[in-house]
Amino acid sequence: MNETALASDETRRRLGFLSQGDTAALSRHGILVPDPGSVLISGEVRLEDEVVLWPNVVLQIAEGGTLVVGRGTELFSGTRIVAAGGSVAIGPGAEIGEEGGFTLKAAAGEIIQVGDGARLLGGGSLTRSNRIGRGAQILGPIRCQTCTLGDGGTYRDPEPDERGGVLKGSGVARGIEVPQGHVVQAFGLFADAAMRRQSYFHPKG
């Protein structure tokens, strides 16, 4: 190993991340990491089979937090997930960070739950406690705090009003609750926006 690689691994260890070699070795446990040199993972992170970690993903645990990523979840470039004393749990088959990355950060006493098949894209963030239900979506650079999106089908479900709750647009969403089959679209403060059925945006015929 050359001096540059040794220095990189020493820095990783000091910051609590796996070495490049240990990151690459995750492939032997069913984790897909195309570019191990660009991915930072704390040793305590729990990754289930077939998780995909694209370049420039950060999964960090600090101050006794917990972070679990479910089977088959795909984390796209620019995704940063930090359990800084809190808990982050991502269910199977989620898609996080396409079209600009995504940030999830749980401080002490906070819980972030992302359900099976949820989709978070477009450079947004989750801070404080949030529950993003099964099949729910956050679409765009939206700062979400203490939001709850209801369970439902994924965005592939042919019935829009049976899909998980959706936030779309850009801006700040605090304390927003969106039930199954509904969507709140805003460009600013989501508290001021109307809630509509998803079929309003995806009419049939």
Side-chain angles (χ1 to χ4, degrees):
M1 183 179 293
N2 61 38
E3 290 186 9
T4 300
L6 287 170
S8 174
D9 277 351
E10 177 59 25
T11 301
R12 284 169 173 257
R13 279 191 286 269
R14 290 181 63 182
L15 294 173
F17 296 114
L18 298 176
S19 68
Q20 290 189 51
D22 288 340
T23 303
L26 292 172
S27 62
R28 296 199 293 267
H29 303 284
I31 312 302
L32 305 177
V33 191
D35 184 12
S38 72
V39 173
L40 298 175
I41 308 173
S42 294
E44 300 86 357
V45 173
R46 287 175 48 198
L47 301 171
E48 296 185 0
D49 290 351
E50 299 179 16
V51 166
V52 181
L53 305 178
W54 289 104
N56 302 312
V57 166
V58 178
L59 303 177
Q60 184 176 11
I61 290 178
E63 303 172 25
T66 61
L67 201 172
V68 180
V69 182
R71 181 184 181 92
T73 281
E74 193 163 5
L75 304 181
F76 292 91
S77 296
T79 297
R80 179 172 178 257
I81 303 175
V82 182
S87 170
V88 180
I90 300 169
E95 300 175 24
I96 300 178
E98 195 170 17
E99 300 181 16
F102 215 91
T103 298
L104 293 76
K105 186 173 183 179
E110 297 172 349
I111 299 172
I112 294 176
Q113 297 176 304
V114 179
D116 303 4
R119 185 168 68 146
L120 315 178
L121 59 80
S125 66
L126 297 175
T127 57
R128 302 182 182 173
S129 293
N130 294 267
R131 184 184 183 278
I132 310 305
R134 174 174 44 83
Q137 301 178 78
I138 299 174
L139 310 175
I142 304 168
R143 294 172 54 199
C144 299
Q145 300 173 350
T146 60
C147 291
T148 302
L149 305 186
D151 293 325
T154 72
Y155 67 95
R156 297 183 177 92
D157 193 307
E159 296 293 336
D161 292 343
E162 295 181 5
R163 298 172 185 169
V166 175
L167 294 174
K168 63 186 297 186
S170 63
V172 179
R174 293 192 182 99
I176 302 296
E177 296 188 17
V178 184
Q180 179 184 20
H182 289 75
V183 57
V184 177
Q185 180 181 39
F187 299 92
L189 293 176
F190 278 73
D192 297 335
M195 184 180 301
R196 295 185 171 94
R197 287 278 186 180
Q198 291 187 35
S199 53
Y200 175 87
F201 294 94
H202 304 283
K204 290 190 173 182

